[in-house]
Amino acid sequence: MPLPIALNPTVWLSGQINPSDLPALAAELGLRRIVNNRPDHEEPGQPTGEDVRAAAEAAGLDYVAAPVSGFPDEVAVARVHEALIDDAPTLLFCRSGMRSAATWALAQRQRGVDAETLRAQAHAAGYDLSRLPL
């Protein structure tokens, strides 16, 4: 199980997670919440959102569905914004982590965080948001 990449002290990004890894991830990172930015059925064999939700809840984690296809829409950004408002340790995931990074950055802009600060945090985690309109 590869460890997710930290964006800041309370937010991590990851590609697709395996539901069976959630208890270990929760313990290792001190997670309280999982945000799923991946739509169901993008590719054969991926766990469904329901699979991840059930595993998250069994591990004592909150679960938020905020699927993104292409550019993050207002609904996904609003769900991520709401999920992160309490600064609880949270893991966001999609196929590669890129859509999660973009959705996180757009949600953080709603909180008034400077665009260049967000781009720098994402870059340090390996995600290029230079073309994202923040």
Side-chain angles (χ1 to χ4, degrees):
M1 156 185 72
L3 281 180
I5 299 168
L7 281 172
N8 62 44
T10 62
V11 177
W12 291 264
L13 296 178
S14 176
Q16 178 67 55
I17 58 174
N18 186 329
S20 65
D21 291 337
L22 286 177
L25 285 172
E28 176 126 1
L29 302 175
L31 295 176
R32 292 203 10 228
R33 181 179 301 114
I34 300 293
V35 176
N36 182 354
N37 293 129
R38 190 162 193 201
D40 282 348
H41 312 296
E42 272 193 319
E43 60 188 34
Q46 86 181 55
T48 65
E50 180 57 28
D51 294 337
V52 177
R53 182 200 60 75
E57 290 177 357
L61 301 169
D62 294 336
Y63 173 83
V64 176
V68 175
S69 294
F71 191 81
D73 64 19
E74 290 179 18
V75 173
V77 172
R79 287 182 184 164
V80 169
H81 179 267
E82 290 171 17
L84 298 178
I85 203 85
D86 64 359
D87 291 321
T90 301
L91 170 67
L92 292 87
F93 80 92
C94 59
R95 186 178 63 79
S96 68
M98 186 63 199
R99 286 174 286 181
S100 293
T103 308
W104 163 82
L106 291 166
Q108 293 300 94
R109 282 294 290 146
Q110 289 183 349
R111 293 177 78 176
V113 179
D114 175 72
E116 291 312 310
T117 298
L118 296 169
R119 286 189 178 99
Q121 284 179 300
H123 185 265
Y127 296 96
D128 180 6
L129 299 183
S130 62
R131 296 172 60 188
L132 185 68
L134 294 173

